[in-house]
Amino acid sequence: MNRELATTLQSLHPDAFGWALHCSDGDYGRAEEVLQNAYLKLVRNQLQPSGGSTVKTWWFGVIRFTAMEEYRKAKFRSSFLGKLISQLVPDSTAEGDPSPSRQLELNEEGTYLRSLLQQLSPRQAEILHLVFYQDLPLSEAATVMQISLGSARQHYERGKQRLRELYQPNNEPLPL
Amino acid sequence: MNDPDPLRELFQRQRAAVRESAPAWTQRYLREQPAAPKRRRITWVVGFTTAAACLLITTFILKPSGSPSAADLTSLPSLLPPTATNESVIPLTASVIPNFESTTDFLLPQTKPVIQIL
């Protein structure tokens, strides 16, 4: 990997973690694993930045895809066969260092925001995160999500309208 | 899209919180080769061993129903009722069924055609 790409990824790292966290349904440990596996793909030269999009757009697409892979793996582990295998073979990845901080899980506002986003469709939640949190323009958000610009705009407008209805800034966070 | 928006502010506050708690960037992300995927290797070993065990069980322990063993064949006459001896079994041939001229009549009874040509 060249130095320029490494520097760019380093600057994107905190926001990439935020995106990985969103793609992992707020699961801090899974987000760390997603990001680590995405970096691993780079180290193994399984990925090359595509020329058509910016590095951020490309990298967020990689993280999203990796999160989907991790979700499928987590589903397999929760299945009967997965549990059987994990009984036979202890999972070495579960014995790693503890996560550096669990503050996020205790962050009430973050929990509240997640509870709001869970009431939207996954696409609407994704596009609102990419636009409001990551400050991406709609066209780049559409590229990350691999949908057309028109479709992205529709998800954005509907999601924003629904979130405005749900959001109560002066009230206490809704119970989960 | 950059106007002050309570929703955007909510997301941005969350962004600041996540940035504080995000794992620190380390060069090991891009340098260190992780250990071999031991778990995946062991999964394959367990899978193949299970498949081989299933194959052995179906081949040697659970016999197919269409192939009785020699012991089963020798014990078969003892399972028959006492009256069903070889002498009392009358072979089904043309000689014992007078209405049929041959065994083929038994299989293909002669019937008149229903449709008659006018």
Side-chain angles (χ1 to χ4, degrees):
Chain A
M1 188 192 310
N2 60 44
R3 185 178 290 274
E4 190 184 348
L5 179 60
T7 312
T8 311
L9 290 180
Q10 183 173 0
S11 64
L12 285 176
H13 178 72
D15 284 339
F17 179 74
W19 175 235
L21 193 64
H22 176 85
C23 294
S24 309
D25 295 329
D27 187 330
Y28 200 96
R30 216 170 86 201
E32 283 181 326
E33 203 170 331
V34 164
L35 203 54
Q36 176 68 46
N37 285 342
Y39 284 127
L40 196 59
K41 286 178 183 174
L42 272 178
V43 170
R44 289 177 175 165
N45 290 325
Q46 293 173 351
L47 299 169
Q48 286 298 326
S50 58
S53 54
T54 63
V55 173
K56 185 174 183 178
T57 310
W58 163 78
W59 182 234
F60 277 34
V62 170
I63 291 171
R64 183 172 178 267
F65 185 75
T66 311
M68 286 178 184
E69 285 178 339
E70 287 300 316
Y71 174 73
R72 281 195 289 270
K73 281 184 197 169
K75 244 181 130 179
F76 172 74
R77 283 188 212 119
S78 64
S79 68
F80 174 74
L81 184 61
K83 282 179 184 168
L84 186 70
I85 290 173
S86 63
Q87 286 287 324
L88 296 172
V89 185
D91 190 357
S92 58
T93 58
E95 296 169 2
D97 295 330
S99 296
S101 169
R102 295 283 173 183
Q103 284 180 354
L104 195 69
E105 292 178 359
L106 305 174
N107 182 351
E108 280 186 16
E109 197 173 53
T111 312
Y112 173 54
L113 179 58
R114 261 204 307 283
S115 73
L116 292 180
L117 291 176
Q118 279 170 356
Q119 296 177 58
L120 308 179
S121 75
R123 288 271 169 95
Q124 289 172 355
E126 275 185 353
I127 198 134
L128 289 179
H129 176 95
L130 289 170
V131 172
F132 284 149
Y133 183 111
Q134 305 287 354
D135 283 330
L136 283 180
L138 266 180
S139 57
E140 289 191 19
T143 309
V144 172
M145 294 170 65
Q146 295 182 330
I147 56 176
S148 68
L149 181 58
S151 185
R153 190 168 285 127
Q154 204 170 24
H155 286 304
Y156 172 71
E157 292 298 339
R158 287 182 183 168
K160 195 168 64 171
Q161 188 183 353
R162 177 90 179 109
L163 197 61
R164 283 212 169 106
E165 290 167 9
L166 293 169
Y167 181 48
Q168 301 165 332
N170 298 325
N171 293 355
E172 289 293 313
L174 293 173
L176 289 177
Chain B
M1 233 188 300
N2 289 326
D3 53 335
D5 185 346
L7 283 182
R8 183 177 290 275
E9 286 171 4
L10 173 67
F11 275 94
Q12 289 298 321
R13 280 198 300 274
Q14 188 57 28
R15 183 186 194 181
V18 171
R19 286 175 80 95
E20 278 179 16
S21 63
W25 168 269
T26 55
Q27 282 298 323
R28 74 181 171 87
Y29 275 132
L30 303 181
R31 271 210 311 261
E32 206 171 73
Q33 286 285 353
K38 191 178 175 185
R39 180 185 163 85
R40 187 177 295 175
R41 251 195 341 251
I42 293 174
T43 306
W44 276 107
V45 170
V46 169
F48 275 120
T49 311
T50 311
C54 289
L55 195 65
L56 285 174
I57 287 170
T58 51
T59 308
F60 294 108
I61 298 175
L62 304 173
K63 284 187 271 313
S65 59
S67 58
S69 66
D72 292 337
L73 292 174
T74 52
S75 63
L76 189 60
S78 64
L79 298 175
L80 293 171
T83 53
T85 58
N86 285 341
E87 291 75 16
S88 63
V89 174
I90 301 169
L92 187 63
T93 59
S95 62
V96 296
I97 306 174
N99 292 335
F100 293 93
E101 292 180 355
S102 68
T103 51
T104 55
D105 294 334
F106 184 77
L107 297 173
L108 299 168
Q110 291 179 348
T111 54
K112 290 180 181 176
V114 178
I115 300 170
Q116 292 181 348
I117 298 169
L118 296 176

